[in-house]
Each structure stands twice: as structure tokens, then as C-alpha cells.
Amino acid sequence: MNNVLLQTKNLSKIYTDDRKSIVKAVNDITLQIYQGETFGLVGESGCGKSTFGQMLVNLLEPTKGEILFEGEDIFKSRRARKEIPQKIQMIFQDPYSSLNPKRKIGWLLEESLDIHRKNLSKEQRIKIVDEMLELVGLDESYKDRYPSQLSGGQRQRVSIAIALILKPKFVVCDEAVSALDVSVQAQILNLLHDLQEKFNLTYLFISHNLNVVSYMSDRIGIMYLGSIVELGDAVTLSKNPIHPYTKMLFSSSMNVGEADSGKIQITGELPSPSNPPSGCTFHTRCAYCTELCSSARPELQELPDGRQIACHYAQKFYQESMEKKQ
Ligand code: ADP
Ligand code: MG
């Protein structure tokens, strides 16, 4: 049985700037994230991944829609102000700018215990900090160092320790390894995986790198210009992508041997999110585009294998893929 831990309902974020131009960064996203899973969110830069993640951790206010955590609205419920924020944490891309350079690692780790666990004694706090450091593979000596004295990988270990010190249930990892060397990336991904098992964590794993997302995720949502275009089991999607955009992403990430081969390199330019195409927003880059695609927006629909997809020709493409298999 899968228990839903977090769900969004018609979640949207529209940015407006001074000149009144608007960007629909996140457009009507409804999805469920299950207890204990890693849900990967992937798409080109600018498609709204960080905006979506930041709304879940309450760093950004949605323009419209709801976010339910354990069935309760994270903005309106009684637990919303005190308990829920501690249960949802975030790990950012850039451990260089997310750690206060003027503070030692020990201080940075103790900070949230000082705020949220006031009844702990100093000794108890120190014990928790030491245990947390050990869990992320750093010894006690790191407490007296400043962020600038650490490597990128070590800093990201500290960021993970800070995110986990209040024992959250749900962690948003936003490009958590994108700033790191490839060899260090693998270590941090494995650490995140081990910690997930140890603490029964649920992850929203955001990345523009499809290889990284495929490696980490149980299910994947493919995002394009603020919307989910295909969502399903990670293995199903990678073995048999149906949406023309998902196909494009997977075929462009196959160039094994390139430094960042999972990085999305696809043809055509990403349209401006402040002036998105009519109908299916992908139609301007789609090889199968028809008149219908440029005029009507496709709704997310479910296919027989359980995946969701927003494409007018989803059934046809699905049938064709099944025939090819036989
Ligand atoms: P991603 O994380 O997928 O790269 P973002 O969520 O950062 O995408 O951005 C989605 C869109 O919203 C982009 O077009 C971006 O330029 C725009 N955007 C992001 N933050 C702001 C902001 N604070 N004000 C106006 N536009 C923004
Ligand atoms: Mg981002």
C-alpha cells in the first residue's frame, strides 16, 4: 500500500514584474508523492522546477492551488506554522552560497536546534550535532572549521546534515549535486540514498540532469514550461518514453562518455515562459505537431500502464510502442 505523504492540487505560481509582464512559472500542477519514495522532477532550465520545490518548503507563496502534507494544508492547518515546516526541508544546489561563511560548521548545525529544540541541554545538542556529522561522513573536527575551509562535496555534506538535523520526513533536493565534480556527485547521491533508508525519508529530487534523476528516482515527472507533460514509474519512462518531449530528453541523454551527458541538449529553442505557445506548449518543437496541437491544450490522461501524459496523440503513440514490442 502506498501512502500519500505530500500532494499538490492545481498548484500555480505566476511571477509579475514591474512592467506588468507575467511568467507562468508553474501552471496547474496536481500530483502525489508517496511516503518513502524518491520523486524525480526533470526538465530544461527555466521550466519551473525550483519554483515548484520552493513552494513545497514554504519559501514561495503559490498564486493558486493547495499543498497538502499528511493530508493537511501547509498554509492553513493548525500544524502549519509550527510542526509542518520542520518536517519539510530543502537541500540547495550551491553549498557555497547557502552556508553562512562567517559561522563555523558546529554553529551552523546547532542553529536550528537552538530555535526549534529549546528544551535540549547544551550537552544533548552537542551529541546530536556530532552524530549528525558522523552520519554524513564528517568527523567532529569539522565543527571548528569555516565553510571556506571545506571542499564542495564536504560543504554539501554539511548542508545535508543541516537539512536533516530536525528529523524531517520530506526533503526537497534542488540540483543538490549539479555544482559538484562527477566523482563527488556519485558519493553524495549514495549518501542521500543511504540516509533515505536509515530515516525513511521521502525525496523530491529536482535536476536538469536526466541520468542523475533516473538513477535516484522511483517515479519521474517530466516538466515543460511550467507543466507536467509525462509522469510515471522511472523504469517505464526510461524504457518506453511516450511523450515526444520525454523521447527527446531520453535520446539526448544517451551520449555516454560526455562529461555531463545527462544534461538536456535538445533541438529548437525553449519558448519564453512569459509568452508561451498556444495549445500544447511543446507544439513549436514537436515533430508530430498537427493543427489540433497548436490550438487545444492537452489534459493529463492516464495510459493503461498507469503513467500520466499530456499529449493529444498519447493513445496512438502508446499503441504504436506496444506493437513495436511484439
Ligand atoms: P528551473 O528551476 O526549472 O530552472 P525556475 O523555477 O527557476 O526554473 O524558473 C521558472 C521561470 O520563472 C523562469 O522563466 C524564470 O526566469 C522565472 N522566474 C524565476 N524566479 C523568478 C522571480 N523571482 N521573478 C520573476 N521570474 C522568475
Ligand atoms: Mg532551478
Side-chain angles (χ1 to χ4, degrees):
M1 279 296 286
N2 285 330
N3 291 325
V4 173
L5 181 68
L6 182 140
Q7 56 181 314
T8 66
K9 292 186 178 170
N10 306 105
L11 193 65
S12 304
K13 178 73 189 179
I14 299 176
Y15 293 110
T16 44
D17 72 15
D18 301 342
R19 287 163 296 150
K20 297 274 184 293
S21 86
I22 64 163
V23 177
K24 285 187 180 177
V26 170
N27 197 3
D28 228 8
I29 294 190
T30 296
L31 56 76
Q32 286 88 37
I33 298 177
Y34 298 114
Q35 167 66 48
E37 77 168 338
T38 297
F39 185 93
L41 194 58
V42 68
E44 285 162 276
S45 175
C47 73
K49 305 180 296 297
S50 295
T51 301
F52 182 78
Q54 286 175 20
M55 288 193 281
L56 302 194
V57 295
N58 214 341
L59 283 176
L60 265 182
E61 203 182 334
T63 310
K64 200 189 90 183
E66 287 173 65
I67 302 166
L68 305 184
F69 180 77
E70 296 179 324
E72 295 186 67
D73 191 309
I74 70 162
F75 301 107
K76 296 185 191 138
S77 74
R78 276 202 317 160
R79 290 168 69 207
R81 277 197 40 218
K82 283 198 87 172
E83 286 171 49
I84 295 179
Q86 296 176 35
K87 299 283 176 209
I88 306 180
Q89 296 288 331
M90 184 151 187
I91 299 165
F92 295 92
Q93 165 169 6
D94 189 359
Y96 297 86
S97 60
S98 59
L99 298 177
N100 182 344
K102 297 202 177 93
R103 297 293 186 177
K104 289 182 178 168
I105 304 305
W107 190 96
L108 291 169
L109 276 161
E110 250 186 86
E111 189 186 16
S112 51
L113 293 176
D114 286 342
I115 298 169
H116 297 288
R117 300 276 190 276
K118 285 200 172 72
N119 51 351
L120 293 176
S121 67
K122 180 75 181 165
E123 290 72 37
Q124 286 171 316
R125 284 206 294 267
I126 290 171
K127 187 162 170 272
I128 294 174
V129 168
D130 290 350
E131 282 170 1
M132 209 57 240
L133 275 175
E134 196 186 330
L135 278 165
V136 298
L138 299 173
D139 63 54
E140 287 174 29
S141 70
Y142 282 86
K143 283 195 291 188
D144 288 323
R145 302 192 198 180
Y146 288 95
S148 61
Q149 296 170 310
L150 272 56
S151 69
Q154 288 165 342
R155 276 188 247 211
Q156 202 55 314
R157 287 174 192 270
V158 171
S159 305
I160 294 169
I162 292 172
L164 298 190
I165 204 155
L166 293 175
K167 303 241 178 297
K169 288 190 172 177
F170 183 71
V171 182
V172 175
C173 308
D174 189 2
E175 305 279 5
V177 299
S178 303
L180 305 172
D181 292 345
V182 174
S183 60
V184 183
Q185 281 188 9
Q187 294 167 11
I188 298 294
L189 293 178
N190 291 335
L191 173 65
L192 286 169
H193 194 262
D194 292 347
L195 292 169
Q196 177 172 41
E197 291 204 334
K198 204 167 258 155
F199 296 113
N200 195 17
L201 294 168
T202 305
Y203 289 144
L204 172 66
F205 194 86
I206 296 175
S207 177
H208 66 279
N209 186 317
L210 190 59
N211 288 343
V212 169
V213 170
S214 305
Y215 175 72
M216 286 298 280
S217 308
D218 300 299
R219 291 189 307 141
I220 296 180
I222 310 281
M223 234 178 135
Y224 189 74
L225 285 177
S227 304
I228 297 284
V229 296
E230 188 163 5
L231 187 159
D233 185 79
V235 178
T236 309
L237 252 59
S238 62
K239 283 205 174 139
N240 185 22
I242 299 287
H243 196 290
Y245 183 58
T246 316
K247 280 192 171 156
M248 209 185 217
L249 294 189
F250 275 101
S251 59
S252 71
S253 74
M254 297 301 190
N255 312 322
V256 189
E258 281 180 29
D260 196 4
S261 66
K263 198 168 168 232
I264 294 163
Q265 299 152 335
I266 48 183
T267 51
E269 264 192 44
L270 184 68
S272 161
S274 59
N275 186 20
S278 60
C280 171
T281 52
F282 185 59
H283 86 261
T284 52
R285 296 162 93 184
C286 183
Y288 310 94
C289 169
T290 66
E291 224 173 278
L292 173 65
C293 306
S294 54
S295 58
R297 187 185 155 97
E299 296 289 327
L300 266 184
Q301 55 173 301
E302 194 168 315
L303 292 184
D305 63 4
R307 84 178 82 199
Q308 291 178 298
I309 176 166
C311 170
H312 290 300
Y313 299 102
Q315 300 284 351
K316 176 173 168 272
F317 294 148
Y318 181 71
Q319 286 307 329
E320 284 171 5
S321 78
M322 290 297 129
E323 281 156 22
K324 238 189 240 166
K325 264 193 198 165
Q326 283 163 6

mmCIF file of all heavy atoms in Angstrom, residues 45-46 48-51 54 93 174-175 206, ligand 2:
data_model
loop_
_atom_site.group_PDB
_atom_site.id
_atom_site.type_symbol
_atom_site.label_atom_id
_atom_site.label_comp_id
_atom_site.label_asym_id
_atom_site.label_seq_id
_atom_site.Cartn_x
_atom_site.Cartn_y
_atom_site.Cartn_z
ATOM 1 N N SER A 45 16.338 23.964 -17.986
ATOM 2 C CA SER A 45 16.469 25.128 -17.131
ATOM 3 C C SER A 45 15.374 26.157 -17.452
ATOM 4 O O SER A 45 15.082 26.407 -18.621
ATOM 5 C CB SER A 45 17.861 25.722 -17.379
ATOM 6 O OG SER A 45 17.985 26.892 -16.666
ATOM 7 N N GLY A 46 14.737 26.683 -16.430
ATOM 8 C CA GLY A 46 13.698 27.692 -16.630
ATOM 9 C C GLY A 46 12.293 27.131 -16.736
ATOM 10 O O GLY A 46 11.334 27.877 -16.905
ATOM 11 N N GLY A 48 10.552 25.733 -14.400
ATOM 12 C CA GLY A 48 9.748 25.934 -13.187
ATOM 13 C C GLY A 48 10.015 24.956 -12.047
ATOM 14 O O GLY A 48 9.285 24.947 -11.053
ATOM 15 N N LYS A 49 11.075 24.150 -12.160
ATOM 16 C CA LYS A 49 11.357 23.125 -11.147
ATOM 17 C C LYS A 49 11.612 23.750 -9.771
ATOM 18 O O LYS A 49 11.042 23.331 -8.762
ATOM 19 C CB LYS A 49 12.572 22.271 -11.560
ATOM 20 C CG LYS A 49 12.462 21.635 -12.921
ATOM 21 C CD LYS A 49 13.686 20.806 -13.274
ATOM 22 C CE LYS A 49 15.000 21.548 -13.404
ATOM 23 N NZ LYS A 49 15.043 22.537 -14.487
ATOM 24 N N SER A 50 12.500 24.746 -9.730
ATOM 25 C CA SER A 50 12.841 25.353 -8.425
ATOM 26 C C SER A 50 11.642 26.083 -7.834
ATOM 27 O O SER A 50 11.421 26.042 -6.621
ATOM 28 C CB SER A 50 14.005 26.338 -8.571
ATOM 29 O OG SER A 50 15.161 25.642 -8.950
ATOM 30 N N THR A 51 10.872 26.741 -8.693
ATOM 31 C CA THR A 51 9.676 27.439 -8.209
ATOM 32 C C THR A 51 8.733 26.442 -7.541
ATOM 33 O O THR A 51 8.219 26.680 -6.451
ATOM 34 C CB THR A 51 8.974 28.151 -9.383
ATOM 35 O OG1 THR A 51 9.902 29.066 -9.967
ATOM 36 C CG2 THR A 51 7.724 28.889 -8.928
ATOM 37 N N GLN A 54 10.316 25.275 -4.214
ATOM 38 C CA GLN A 54 10.315 26.310 -3.177
ATOM 39 C C GLN A 54 8.928 26.545 -2.598
ATOM 40 O O GLN A 54 8.805 26.925 -1.434
ATOM 41 C CB GLN A 54 10.893 27.611 -3.742
ATOM 42 C CG GLN A 54 12.411 27.508 -3.901
ATOM 43 C CD GLN A 54 13.018 28.710 -4.565
ATOM 44 O OE1 GLN A 54 12.430 29.784 -4.604
ATOM 45 N NE2 GLN A 54 14.209 28.541 -5.108
ATOM 46 N N GLN A 93 21.309 23.728 -4.396
ATOM 47 C CA GLN A 93 22.368 23.411 -5.356
ATOM 48 C C GLN A 93 23.736 23.867 -4.882
ATOM 49 O O GLN A 93 24.714 23.145 -4.991
ATOM 50 C CB GLN A 93 22.072 24.100 -6.701
ATOM 51 C CG GLN A 93 23.288 24.114 -7.625
ATOM 52 C CD GLN A 93 22.934 24.538 -9.034
ATOM 53 O OE1 GLN A 93 21.822 24.930 -9.308
ATOM 54 N NE2 GLN A 93 23.887 24.440 -9.925
ATOM 55 N N ASP A 174 17.170 20.267 -4.511
ATOM 56 C CA ASP A 174 17.111 21.061 -5.742
ATOM 57 C C ASP A 174 18.498 21.173 -6.368
ATOM 58 O O ASP A 174 19.322 21.937 -5.900
ATOM 59 C CB ASP A 174 16.530 22.448 -5.465
ATOM 60 C CG ASP A 174 16.260 23.218 -6.767
ATOM 61 O OD1 ASP A 174 16.496 22.659 -7.859
ATOM 62 O OD2 ASP A 174 15.818 24.379 -6.682
ATOM 63 N N GLU A 175 18.738 20.402 -7.408
ATOM 64 C CA GLU A 175 20.044 20.367 -8.085
ATOM 65 C C GLU A 175 21.140 20.138 -7.050
ATOM 66 O O GLU A 175 22.209 20.773 -7.095
ATOM 67 C CB GLU A 175 20.310 21.682 -8.847
ATOM 68 C CG GLU A 175 19.228 22.069 -9.849
ATOM 69 C CD GLU A 175 19.323 21.343 -11.192
ATOM 70 O OE1 GLU A 175 20.167 20.456 -11.354
ATOM 71 O OE2 GLU A 175 18.496 21.677 -12.076
ATOM 72 N N ILE A 206 15.070 17.167 -7.632
ATOM 73 C CA ILE A 206 14.976 18.051 -8.798
ATOM 74 C C ILE A 206 16.326 18.138 -9.500
ATOM 75 O O ILE A 206 17.345 18.386 -8.849
ATOM 76 C CB ILE A 206 14.583 19.482 -8.336
ATOM 77 C CG1 ILE A 206 13.187 19.478 -7.703
ATOM 78 C CG2 ILE A 206 14.664 20.468 -9.488
ATOM 79 C CD1 ILE A 206 12.792 20.830 -7.110
HETATM 80 MG MG MG B 2 16.263 25.566 -10.682
#
